[in-house]
Amino acid sequence: MPSGTLKRVWVVLVVLGGLFVAILAMNRALSENDLEKLLSGGELVLITRNNAACYYEGANGPTGFEYELAKAFTDYLGVTLRVLVIEDERDMIAALEKGLGHIVAAGFPFGNRPAKGIWLGPGYHDVDQIVIGRRGGVDIKSKKDLEKTTLWMTYHSARIEYLEALRRIFPKISWKILTTYTSDDLLQMVWSRALPVAIVDSTIMYRNHPFFPELLKLLTLGAPRKLRWATSPDRCYLNLAIHDWFERKETREVVDGLRDYFYGHLETFDYVDIARYRRRIRNRLPYYRDLFEAAAKRYHVDWKLLAAVGYQESHWNPSAKSYTGVRGMMMLTLETAETLGVEDRLDVESTIMAGARYIARLKRQVGDDVAEPDRTWIALSAYNVGFSHVEDARILARRLGKQPDTWQGIRFVLPLLQQKKYYNTLANRYARGREAVVFVDRIRTYYRILQQVDAKPGQGGRIDDLPRH
């Protein structure tokens, strides 16, 4: 494009931006201060979806990427957060227009048509539209290949707009919208071969992939688009507050931390490993569940977490031995076993009991002032790398302006313990911090999978409600 044309385009964008700011200012001057009314009411209502990427009930209460981000915003405003779950985009916008909620955080980008009737905040997270299939299923390698089959999906406007534009190039592309199912349902249906392919948001795929390792990302449709909060146009002051909040350095750190917390540990996902894990949940775990439950009850830890640690350590092999000399189901060092009173590291019951006791001890050392689940993740990193090195990591986190009492902060600095310029300044020197991060990431994945199933002993080593081929 000629430089003169670029200059004119830039001038037009500047003018439009100025008009937008002027309109906001005018509305701000003429309208009732909606933000003051919200603050006096003491509550912000978040409209969102109930899924793995937005909002759900976790082991420690409500959580989810969108929920936690909105919670950070309401903490900043000094009000409480209430969630209104609505799954359909059109119903979300209708609820916004009726004043039933203040903010829509949908977990997907809005299309151009609905965006004309709402105000959108700044973009804060990229999301792709991806075509998923199952191993051995439909072969799709290009957009032209999409003509081979029907594309199944839930509704949202940005996705439909893109497909309508794509169909002008490839006229045989067809799709069907399932109104009574969620994107999570579509993953299950493709996995079970009820559907050949589906289109889902990348965030949904990444959060659920460990449960359905046979699923494949076949194609990405277009460039990533930004997630944005939506508000009603009559909430001018709230919209301005959202823009101001997202511009803050502290907010950018919150977003980065949530992205790392909810998606960072999934980077270690491995199809072969997860498939093997699911088989061993059926075939091995039932023989040891009673021992995990008894130890967990005695030391007040979640038995599924304890079992996840055991799998990461030994793949539930009571005779396991590493090249460093750690042994047994929970892979205890000789020194740790002695301090925990374990005489035989190959004795399954005593080592599982010792592992639970050790985790409980590490959690006490981390401290009650550290909130869950961060306290647990930090304790598990100490299980791997040693508590003294975790203390070094917390010191380093403070120096670097990171939060020393959050897993996000510790996860960031642990790999730095392998760099001389950092570990030379710390009492306990070098540590394999990157390995500790991978250790916790994998346990988090195993733990989350195990939370979805119920391994019962006495069933021939099978779990009836675990998805199988």
Side-chain angles (χ1 to χ4, degrees):
M1 184 181 292
S3 59
T5 302
L6 284 172
K7 185 176 182 180
R8 286 193 293 273
V9 170
W10 175 250
V11 170
V12 169
L13 291 174
V14 170
V15 171
L16 290 175
L19 287 173
F20 177 71
V21 172
I23 291 170
L24 285 179
M26 185 181 301
N27 284 342
R28 185 174 186 175
L30 296 177
S31 65
E32 178 187 6
N33 192 322
D34 57 276
L35 182 60
E36 286 186 2
K37 185 177 180 181
L38 186 156
L39 295 176
S40 65
E43 179 184 74
L44 184 145
V45 179
L46 173 72
I47 300 172
T48 189
R49 298 185 295 163
N50 187 195
N51 61 35
C54 293
Y55 161 77
Y56 61 95
E57 284 291 331
N60 298 288
T63 189
F65 184 93
E66 299 293 352
Y67 174 85
E68 297 292 350
L69 187 59
K71 185 68 170 60
F73 180 58
T74 56
D75 288 346
Y76 168 75
L77 293 180
V79 298
T80 60
L81 177 65
R82 178 162 63 89
V83 174
L84 175 60
V85 172
I86 299 177
E87 296 294 339
D88 185 80
E89 176 186 6
R90 292 158 295 194
D91 293 339
M92 286 180 162
I93 294 174
L96 200 64
E97 292 171 346
K98 293 175 182 176
L100 300 179
H102 299 96
I103 293 173
V104 170
F108 55 72
F110 291 93
N112 295 323
R113 287 190 289 270
K116 293 177 181 178
I118 55 178
W119 278 3
L120 296 177
Y124 54 88
H125 184 51
D126 287 335
V127 61
D128 287 309
Q129 297 302 305
I130 59 175
V131 181
I132 63 163
R134 199 186 193 283
R135 292 177 184 271
V138 179
D139 185 24
I140 293 178
K141 296 180 179 178
S142 69
K143 293 172 183 176
K144 173 67 175 173
D145 290 338
L146 296 175
E147 294 182 321
K148 294 178 179 179
T149 185
T150 299
L151 304 172
W152 296 82
M153 70 191 79
T154 57
Y155 177 87
H156 68 70
S157 55
R159 182 181 295 160
I160 300 300
E161 289 174 8
Y162 181 83
L163 289 173
E164 288 173 344
L166 193 61
R167 189 156 62 181
R168 289 194 284 270
I169 304 171
F170 305 107
K172 294 181 181 179
I173 289 179
S174 63
W175 59 85
K176 289 189 178 180
I177 297 171
L178 297 173
T179 57
T180 59
Y181 294 91
T182 67
S183 295
D184 292 41
D185 293 331
L186 294 187
L187 296 178
Q188 169 74 43
M189 294 163 80
V190 174
W191 181 88
S192 64
R193 297 190 176 95
L195 297 176
V197 296
I199 301 178
V200 298
D201 303 311
S202 56
T203 50
I204 295 292
M205 175 65 167
Y206 297 151
R207 286 291 290 170
N208 286 283
H209 204 182
F211 307 129
F212 306 106
E214 294 83 8
L215 295 183
L216 294 172
K217 181 175 77 172
L218 301 176
L219 197 65
T220 299
L221 300 178
R225 298 187 64 172
K226 295 285 187 181
L227 297 182
R228 302 173 189 274
W229 285 353
T231 57
S232 171
D234 62 3
R235 297 193 183 277
C236 172
Y237 285 83
L238 175 59
N239 188 272
L240 289 169
I242 290 170
H243 277 79
D244 290 343
W245 185 69
F246 272 104
E247 286 297 318
R248 292 166 56 88
K249 175 178 178 289
E250 294 84 354
T251 303
R252 291 194 292 272
E253 291 176 351
V254 167
V255 173
D256 290 343
L258 290 175
R259 185 183 298 115
D260 179 71
Y261 184 84
F262 283 97
Y263 300 107
H265 68 289
L266 302 177
E267 294 173 2
T268 59
F269 171 83
D270 176 77
Y271 164 72
V272 175
D273 176 56
I274 296 299
R276 182 190 302 118
Y277 177 57
R278 291 167 67 234
R279 289 195 301 272
R280 289 179 176 173
I281 288 176
R282 293 193 294 270
N283 300 326
R284 287 191 184 181
L285 180 57
Y287 299 109
Y288 305 112
R289 171 171 171 166
D290 286 346
L291 298 177
F292 283 122
E293 286 185 332
K297 183 177 181 180
R298 180 171 179 178
Y299 292 104
H300 307 290
V301 298
D302 187 338
W303 81 266
K304 295 183 180 72
L305 176 71
L306 185 60
V309 175
Y311 185 81
Q312 167 62 24
E313 290 289 55
S314 69
H315 286 196
W316 298 323
N317 175 7
S319 301
K321 180 179 180 180
S322 82
Y323 68 94
T324 58
V326 293
R327 302 196 69 179
M329 178 74 79
M330 306 301 289
M331 296 297 271
L332 301 174
T333 66
L334 184 59
E335 179 183 4
T336 300
E338 289 175 350
T339 62
L340 294 171
V342 176
E343 297 180 358
D344 181 3
R345 287 180 291 168
L346 299 184
D347 180 82
V348 180
E349 182 175 3
S350 63
T351 54
I352 290 178
M353 196 67 70
R357 181 182 173 191
Y358 190 34
I359 291 171
R361 176 192 294 179
L362 292 170
K363 289 179 67 174
R364 288 195 301 271
Q365 288 180 287
V366 171
D368 292 339
D369 54 328
V370 179
E372 289 289 5
D374 297 76
R375 184 182 177 201
T376 294
W377 307 144
I378 295 172
L380 290 180
S381 69
Y383 191 104
N384 176 265
V385 78
F387 187 76
S388 61
H389 289 300
V390 170
E391 283 294 275
D392 281 351
R394 297 175 83 176
I395 292 170
L396 185 56
R398 292 187 186 95
R399 290 179 189 171
L400 298 179
K402 304 298 179 181
Q403 293 295 324
D405 294 334
T406 66
W407 173 236
Q408 171 198 345
I410 300 303
R411 189 180 189 276
F412 177 86
V413 300
L414 274 172
L416 302 182
L417 301 185
Q418 296 180 224
Q419 297 184 28
K420 188 175 182 178
K421 71 175 183 177
Y422 293 110
Y423 70 67
N424 263 353
T425 68
L426 298 167
N428 298 286
R429 312 282 288 183
Y430 175 89
R432 297 175 67 174
R434 189 172 292 106
E435 182 178 294
V437 170
V438 172
F439 176 83
V440 177
D441 284 351
R442 287 187 174 274
I443 289 172
R444 288 179 61 191
T445 299
Y446 297 145
Y447 179 46
R448 185 163 172 259
I449 292 172
L450 201 52
Q451 286 175 308
Q452 306 300 315
V453 298
D454 187 19
K456 294 182 174 63
Q459 293 184 336
R462 300 183 69 81
I463 300 175
D464 290 341
D465 59 356
L466 183 71
R468 296 189 292 273
H469 299 300

